[in-house]
Amino acid sequence: MAARIKMLVDATTYDNWQAFIHAYVVPHLGDGELQKLTAPMLVKFYTQLLADGRIKPDNNIRMYEYWAKATKRGQQPTPREITDACAVTIHAARTAVRRYKAGRIPTPKPAGLEPKTVRNIHLAIHRALVDAVAWKYLVDNAKPPRVAKSRRPVWTPEQATRFMDSICFDRFYALFRLELTTGLRRAEICGIRWPSLDLDAGTLSVHQGRVVVSGRAQDAQVKTEDSERLIALDEETVDALRVWQAIQDAELALYGDDFRDTDLVFTYEDGRPVHPDSIRERFKRLAADAGLPEIRFDDLRHTYVTRALRAGINPKVVSQRIGHADVAFTMSVYQHVLPGQDEDAAARAAAYMLGRRRTPETASNP
């Protein structure tokens, strides 16, 4: 069954589902018989995960508590000391110290899993049960739990501008500008190759990406067929990419045969492809250094969509640019960013149909 599922989904999804199965499903349901698995059992399982299912330690809180206690004693713990005391990577410790010194105090994570995580666990179970029903091991499947919608934080235009101004000398300035002006997925922006860019025409063909599977980055096709698209780029982003291309060409000349020529747009000095996780961590560090509100790299995509819609860009155009299957899905996620549209539609439709008319005064009773 695992081999069949592996053929049907992309590598990242399979890797995530496999992790969910081993971490949550097997410890709770693994001892039971498949034929005795019922919908109420799954509901109880999901309820437990939502209540106290978190198994990963809250390393951010552990690091902050260690740092805060040492600071209170008049000490300044080094990232290496935090690494040894909290069993985290040196990179995580360094990033954490920057946040704490900037006054960004972490909030403890709840004991339960996020609703979206529980739904993803169900999707892994559901996919397995689909085959179980098809192969006559079961007669029915279970419906997924409802997921409460949450709104991801986004930056204001002023905050986005402040970020870009603060990183004007960063190696990946062009990458972050491209992200904020297109809303590409992280895998998509890390997988862009030069043949997909037409800087003279100012266009980018999105059809390939770099995903992370078991911690290793690898090439992959884009998420869905709808994700394949041709999008236009603004002049300043094109200029930034031209500057970046010149830098990369100079590095190619410097390294010669030692340069790993992969045609990838965003690379390190010797041509090594950027790792999507490294870009995520780099963004967190740069945003913290700029003193900006903490958001994820993926929230830059949400920032682009939110600001594009509020700028009055047609929702269908925005949906096509970010690779959504249809505009209905885009609006179901981002409807909240366009308040007042219903009132405006009512006023404009009435004015068009009937024109501007004076409301007759109510006659007084004799």
Side-chain angles (χ1 to χ4, degrees), residues 51-308:
D52 57 7
R54 187 177 299 278
I55 58 177
K56 291 183 178 180
D58 193 343
N59 287 331
N60 202 8
I61 288 295
R62 291 171 59 191
M63 289 189 291
Y64 177 72
E65 289 176 346
Y66 180 86
W67 180 84
K69 288 179 181 178
T71 303
K72 193 173 182 179
R73 294 194 300 266
Q75 302 172 350
Q76 287 295 324
T78 65
R80 175 58 63 188
E81 290 172 340
I82 294 176
T83 295
D84 295 338
C86 302
V88 297
T89 65
I90 187 67
H91 179 78
R94 286 171 179 162
T95 305
V97 169
R98 292 192 197 98
R99 290 198 303 268
Y100 307 154
K101 288 183 176 179
R104 295 167 62 184
I105 301 174
T107 302
K109 293 181 179 179
L113 295 176
E114 294 291 335
K116 184 177 180 181
T117 302
V118 177
R119 181 177 177 84
N120 288 338
I121 291 171
H122 170 81
L123 292 177
I125 296 174
H126 177 78
R127 178 63 255 185
L129 295 183
V130 165
D131 286 340
V133 172
W135 296 345
K136 308 301 182 184
Y137 292 136
L138 289 176
V139 295
D140 200 2
N141 205 333
K143 294 182 179 180
R146 294 180 63 86
V147 177
K149 291 185 178 181
S150 61
R151 299 175 183 176
R152 293 299 311 172
V154 297
W155 279 345
T156 64
E158 293 76 19
Q159 289 169 333
T161 300
R162 179 176 161 189
F163 174 72
M164 292 308 303
D165 288 344
S166 71
I167 65 164
C168 58
F169 296 111
D170 186 77
R171 176 174 181 81
F172 295 117
Y173 171 88
L175 182 151
F176 292 114
R177 179 177 177 87
L178 182 62
E179 177 61 32
L180 276 167
T181 55
T182 61
L184 292 171
R185 298 177 178 92
R186 183 175 55 139
E188 293 171 342
I189 202 164
C190 291
I192 299 173
R193 296 178 185 271
W194 285 113
S196 300
L197 269 172
D198 187 337
L199 297 182
D200 292 330
T203 59
L204 166 64
S205 175
V206 183
H207 60 271
Q208 207 167 7
R210 281 182 64 78
V211 299
V212 180
V213 179
S214 299
R216 299 175 65 91
Q218 63 183 48
D219 295 335
Q221 295 302 306
V222 291
K223 195 171 183 180
T224 64
E225 290 185 5
D226 298 295
S227 298
E228 295 189 11
R229 58 204 187 274
L230 182 69
I231 58 177
L233 306 177
D234 65 281
E235 290 185 9
E236 289 190 33
T237 298
V238 169
D239 289 342
L241 288 168
R242 289 189 189 280
V243 171
W244 168 248
Q245 187 178 43
I247 292 173
Q248 195 181 67
D249 287 344
E251 291 171 345
L252 171 60
L254 177 65
Y255 278 84
D257 293 339
D258 293 329
F259 188 88
R260 292 179 57 181
D261 193 0
T262 60
D263 269 341
L264 285 166
V265 172
F266 298 112
T267 62
Y268 295 110
E269 290 85 347
D270 59 357
R272 286 178 297 118
V274 295
H275 194 293
D277 287 350
S278 296
I279 290 298
R280 179 191 63 199
E281 295 303 317
R282 191 186 195 96
F283 168 71
K284 287 172 61 177
R285 174 175 58 79
L286 292 172
D289 290 345
L292 290 163
E294 183 176 0
I295 63 173
R296 306 172 307 168
F297 180 86
D298 293 343
D299 293 328
L300 294 180
R301 174 176 170 86
H302 300 310
T303 296
Y304 167 75
V305 177
T306 299
R307 301 311 164 198

